[in-house]
Structures are given as structure tokens and as C-alpha cells.
């Protein structure tokens, strides 16, 4: 099978017909030609052809998307990315400061160890507020919405990588460093936040112990939360776009963002009281996806109403 | 009258295409690093909008699979713009020579 078909289908949904024909398709044609020429060559060379070819195609798609919005929307997108960066930094610094304030000792490298823990919360808040304050209220073009949603998808991937692989290691290093700095000796036992996905799965299968904080139900909740919480950037960004698109106040977007995390962390308490961990982890996402669907439907019916003849 | 603009990469493309018609990837290979593979089609698309180049898809043999590649050649207008820019560059290159008495 020739490479590039999936990217072609994706690009057909994202790019204009002209961009597809003149920018994306020629790049895919080059990739396919080079790949078929390299068929008889060693696997390493074929892999190199694929990587370089796909990179060129994706670069073309990205440039097409970035050049599509008008000058005004390009400026709004720049504002959005700057607001996102600033808000993410502020939220990260706040969360790190709160943790360090509760720690008896301090070393500058603690900041680096605590940063991965803050990303799954700081990034979605940053992105949502970036959308609310960076993009102007009112109608947005298709390409602007696509760029924002693609950015949200990247943020979702970063959040997941951070929660699943980076945070457990960084958290444990932080705890161990603090323990040793206050004179402790030995290895600090891992908590649920410090466990990898496989360790959480093992913990889930264990019989309930007296310690409620480390119960299998909570391990299950934490395991599913590793997948559910990173969906927040995509959901909140979609909701913010829908609300900003219909001219909603920025305060409403901010309130919804806070509400998401309030609901997500309230679920932990409900899991202790018997709520199934799977439901506890995914309910905030389901709830906010439902809100986004309702807003999207109300937007489209409003649009149909304004277009129908009097 | 608005003077047509020609960026450095657009000039490289027109110079290469003035020799013979080429595929995008051939342009990248022959530019010796002046053109990037990921951006060449964006530049070619922009040049087509400006009327500097024209393109068409290659004829593929029967039974060929995959997308056809796109061939490019300069338009008469594109070649005139290139000639005008080259003339301007020649006229403006180097500091004025002082005559000694």
C-alpha cells in the first residue's frame, strides 16, 4: 500500500480544495514516488524516505492552515498563543509555589521536578483562557477553529504523556529528594500519584486495605483519570470556541473552566463513597461534552433561525 | 502601477524553471539547499497566484497507482519579472565607482 492516504484524507477535511490540489497532493505524490522507488532498498532507507516525506507533507499542511486566516485572525491567533503561554506559566508557578510552601526544604531543582505535575491542569486552563482573551468574540473562520482545535489536540497529547510517564517519575524524585534533605534514609514508598500505569493496574487488583487513601478503588480512579483528565484541553477548547463564537462573556468561559476541575476533583470524594471509579474519572468529560453538544446545537439552530425567510 | 515583488526563493525557482520545466522535488534537489521540501509547494502555489508560474499534473502510465506529480514552468510574465529584477540587481550592485582626476 502506498503511504500518504490517511494524511490525504485528513488534509481534505482541513484544507481548501485549492490548497489540497496545489500544496498537499504534490507533496504526497513526491512521497509516494520516492517510496515506490525505494521499495527494493533496505528498510532503514525506506524508513528515512517515509519520515522525510511525511514531515514535508505535514509541514505543507501546517503552513496552509497558518496562512489561511486573514490578517485580523492571524493577530488574534498570536494573541491567543501568547495568552495561553502566560496563563499556563502563571498557573504552573502558583501550583508549584503552593506545593513548595508546604514543603519544609527548598532547592531550585524542585521547580523542574514539580512542573510535570502542574501541566495537565495548567495547560488546559491556559489554553481555555487564551481562547477567551485572545480571540475576539463573534464569528471565527473554519481555519482558525481548526488551528485552535489542533493545538488543543497537541496539548491533550502533552498532558497525557506528562500524566502517564513524566509525572510519576518526577513526583517520586521530588518526594525522595525532600525526604533525603530532611535527613531521611531509605526509599520513599510510592503513592498513587507516583505510580506508572502498570503499577496502578497492579494496585487495582489488590484486596482493599485499611488505608482508604491507597484503596484499589482510588487506584482505579487514578488509572482512569490518567486517560480522562488529558481530554480536558480538547473539551474546554471546543466549549470556549463555541461560547466565544456566539458572543458569550469571558467570565462564563472562565467559570466553566473552574467548574470542570471542581467537578473532576469532587469525584474523588464520591469514589470514596462508592461511586464506580470509571464513572468518577470520566463523568466530568461526559458532562462537559454534553454541554458542548447542547451549545453547538443551540448555535446551529440559532443560525438556521437567522437564515430562514421571515 | 504596483511593482511586482519577487522574494529570494521565488527568484531561485524562476531561475531554475527558466532552464527547463521541473517537479517540485527536482527544484528542491537542484537548488542546493536554497529551497526546503516542506515549503516549496507553498511558495509555488503563491507564485501561481501571482501568475509567475503555471503547473499541470504529469500523465501517468495506465495502471499506475498513487497521486500524479505536478510539473511547473514559468509564464512569460514570470520570466519578464525575473529579467526586470536581474536588471535591477545588476544596476544597483556595488558602490558607485569614483573617477580620479
Amino acid at each position: 500500500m502506498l503511504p500518504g492516504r490517511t494524511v490525504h484524507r485528513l488534509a481534505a477535511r482541513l484544507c481548501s480544495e485549492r490548497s489540497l490540489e496545489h500544496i498537499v497532493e504534490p507533496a504526497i505524490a513526491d512521497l509516494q514516488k520516492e517510496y515506490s522507488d525505494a521499495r527494493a532498498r533496505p528498510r532503514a532507507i525506506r524508513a528515512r524516505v517515509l519520515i522525510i516525506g511525511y514531515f514535508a507533507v505535514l509541514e505543507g499542511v501546517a503552513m496552509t492552515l497558518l496562512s489561511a486566516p486573514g490578517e485580523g485572525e492571524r493577530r488574534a491567533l498570536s494573541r491567543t498563543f501568547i495568552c495561553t503561554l502566560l496563563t499556563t506559566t502563571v498557573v504552573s508557578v502558583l501550583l508549584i509555589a503552593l506545593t513548595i510552601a508546604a514543603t519544609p526544604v527548598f532547592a531550585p531543582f524542585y521547580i523542574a521536578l514539580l512542573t510535570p505535575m502542574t501541566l495537565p491542569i495548567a495547560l488546559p486552563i491556559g489554553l481555555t483562557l487564551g481562547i477567551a482573551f485572545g480571540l475576539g468574540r463573534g464569528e471565527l473562520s473554519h481555519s482558525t477553529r481548526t488551528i485552535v482545535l489542533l493545538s488543543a489536540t497537541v496539548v491533550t497529547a502533552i498532558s497525557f504523556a506528562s500524566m502517564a510517564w513524566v509525572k510519576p517519575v518526577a513526583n517520586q524524585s521530588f518526594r525522595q529528594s525532600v525526604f533525603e534533605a530532611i535527613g531521611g534514609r531509605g526509599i520513599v514508598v510510592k503513592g498513587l500519584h507516583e505510580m506508572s500505569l502498570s503499577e496502578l493496574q497492579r494496585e487495582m487488583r489488590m484486596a482493599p486495605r485499611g488505608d482508604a487513601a491507597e484503596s484499589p478503588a482510588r487506584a482505579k480512579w487514578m488509572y482512569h483519570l490518567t486517560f480522562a483528565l488529558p481530554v480536558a484541553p480538547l473539551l474546554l477548547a471546543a466549549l470556549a470556541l463555541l461560547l466565544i463564537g456566539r458572543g458569550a462573556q469571558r467570565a462564563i468561559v472562565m467559570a466553566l473552566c473552574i467548574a470542570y476541575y471542581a467537578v473532576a476533583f469532587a469525584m474523588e470524594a464520591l469514589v470514596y463513597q462508592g461511586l464506580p471509579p470509571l464513572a468518577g474519572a470520566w463523568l466530568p468529560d461526559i458532562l462537559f461534552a454534553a454541554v458542548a453538544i447542547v451549545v453547538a446545537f443551540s448555535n446551529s439552530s440559532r443560525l438556521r433561525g437567522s437564515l430562514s425567510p421571515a | 502601477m504596483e511593482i511586482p515583488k519577487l522574494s529570494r526563493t521565488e527568484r531561485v525557482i524562476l531561475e531554475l524553471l527558466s532552464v527547463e520545466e521541473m517537479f517540485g522535488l527536482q527544484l528542491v534537489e537542484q537548488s542546493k539547499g536554497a529551497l526546503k521540501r516542506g515549503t516549496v509547494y507553498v511558495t509555488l502555489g503563491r507564485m501561481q497566484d501571482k501568475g509567475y508560474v503555471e503547473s499541470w499534473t504529469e500523465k501517468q502510465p495506465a495502471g499506475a497507482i498513487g497521486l500524479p506529480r505536478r510539473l511547473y514552468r514559468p509564464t512569460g510574465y514570470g520570466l519578464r519579472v525575473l529579467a526586470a529584477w536581474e536588471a535591477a540587481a545588476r544596476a544597483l550592485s556595488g558602490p558607485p565607482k569614483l573617477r580620479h582626476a
Side-chain angles (χ1 to χ4, degrees):
Chain A
M1 198 182 92
L2 280 176
R5 290 186 182 189
T6 310
V7 180
H8 187 260
R9 272 200 298 274
L10 179 75
R13 295 183 73 89
L14 299 176
C15 305
S16 68
E17 203 175 316
R18 187 176 156 70
S19 300
L20 186 71
E21 197 180 320
H22 286 269
I23 296 169
V24 182
E25 284 181 351
I28 293 176
D30 286 341
L31 163 69
Q32 293 177 336
K33 174 79 172 59
E34 279 199 314
Y35 187 74
S36 57
D37 288 349
R39 266 201 173 148
R41 305 190 70 185
R43 187 184 284 184
I45 292 178
R46 289 204 309 271
R48 187 172 172 272
V49 164
L50 280 180
I51 291 168
I52 293 173
Y54 269 115
F55 189 78
V57 174
L58 292 175
E59 199 178 346
V61 173
M63 287 195 70
T64 306
L65 289 173
L66 288 173
S67 63
E71 186 57 35
E73 289 203 3
R74 257 206 297 275
R75 249 185 252 133
L77 277 171
S78 307
R79 267 199 318 270
T80 305
F81 287 120
I82 291 167
C83 282
T84 301
L85 202 66
L86 284 176
T87 320
T88 304
T89 310
V90 168
V91 176
S92 269
V93 167
L94 270 175
L95 292 173
I96 290 170
L98 283 172
T99 313
I100 286 177
T103 309
V105 285
F106 174 72
F109 73 92
Y110 289 172
I111 295 170
L113 291 178
L114 288 170
T115 303
M117 176 196 78
T118 68
L119 287 183
I121 297 172
L123 273 172
I125 293 176
L127 183 64
T128 314
L129 299 191
I131 293 167
F133 288 93
L135 295 178
R137 278 189 279 162
E139 275 301 304
L140 297 167
S141 70
H142 174 71
S143 53
T144 300
R145 285 195 302 252
T146 307
I147 290 169
V148 173
L149 288 177
L150 282 178
S151 309
T153 311
V154 172
V155 170
T156 288
I158 294 171
S159 298
F160 176 70
S162 178
M163 274 198 83
W165 298 297
V166 187
K167 185 200 77 171
V169 179
N171 263 16
Q172 182 62 13
S173 303
F174 169 71
R175 281 158 46 113
Q176 188 68 41
S177 305
V178 172
F179 179 65
E180 285 167 10
I182 57 172
R185 283 188 184 185
I187 304 290
V188 178
V189 177
K190 284 184 181 180
L192 292 178
H193 286 281
E194 289 74 42
M195 288 183 188
S196 64
L197 287 173
S198 56
E199 287 167 335
L200 281 172
Q201 275 180 316
R202 204 172 49 230
E203 195 72 14
M204 282 155 60
R205 286 193 290 268
M206 282 183 176
R209 294 186 304 239
D211 184 6
E214 306 299 323
S215 70
R218 194 164 171 271
K220 262 185 210 167
W221 175 74
M222 183 61 72
Y223 178 81
H224 293 299
L225 195 70
T226 308
F227 296 92
L229 201 62
V231 180
L234 207 50
L235 274 178
L236 290 172
L239 201 49
L241 278 178
L242 287 166
L243 288 167
I244 291 293
R246 58 181 290 166
Q249 297 290 327
R250 286 159 177 158
I252 295 176
V253 179
M254 283 174 74
L256 274 169
C257 190
I258 294 165
Y260 177 88
Y261 288 100
V263 173
F265 291 108
M267 287 298 152
E268 187 178 3
L270 293 178
V271 169
Y272 282 133
Q273 289 167 17
L275 183 75
L278 181 70
W282 285 98
L283 260 179
D285 287 346
I286 293 166
L287 189 69
F288 276 71
V291 173
I293 289 166
V294 169
V295 176
F297 270 106
S298 89
N299 275 8
S300 64
S301 61
R302 213 169 51 133
L303 194 64
R304 272 201 304 276
S306 66
L307 290 175
S308 62
Chain B
M1 188 195 131
E2 200 171 311
I3 298 169
K5 292 189 176 91
L6 193 70
S7 71
R8 198 178 63 83
T9 45
E10 288 173 345
R11 202 173 69 228
V12 171
I13 289 173
L14 279 177
E15 279 168 358
L16 289 168
L17 291 179
S18 63
V19 180
E20 60 172 332
E21 56 194 42
M22 286 187 207
F23 295 110
L25 204 53
Q26 277 178 296
L27 283 165
V28 175
E29 284 160 3
Q30 297 201 13
S31 73
K32 292 171 187 150
L35 300 173
K36 298 274 183 300
R37 190 171 163 167
T39 55
V40 70
Y41 291 111
V42 178
T43 312
L44 283 164
R46 193 175 60 225
M47 289 174 75
Q48 202 158 347
D49 291 341
K50 289 181 181 176
Y52 294 170
V53 295
E54 56 192 3
S55 71
W56 65 98
T57 49
E58 65 175 338
K59 281 200 180 76
Q60 286 185 303
I65 50 166
L67 293 169
R69 290 182 298 164
R70 193 164 271 277
L71 266 162
Y72 296 86
R73 72 170 164 223
T75 59
Y77 174 64
L79 290 175
R80 283 206 306 280
V81 171
L82 176 66
W85 274 86
E86 281 174 345
R90 270 197 305 275
L92 298 171
S93 66
K97 285 176 186 153
L98 296 172
R99 277 190 200 162
H100 295 283

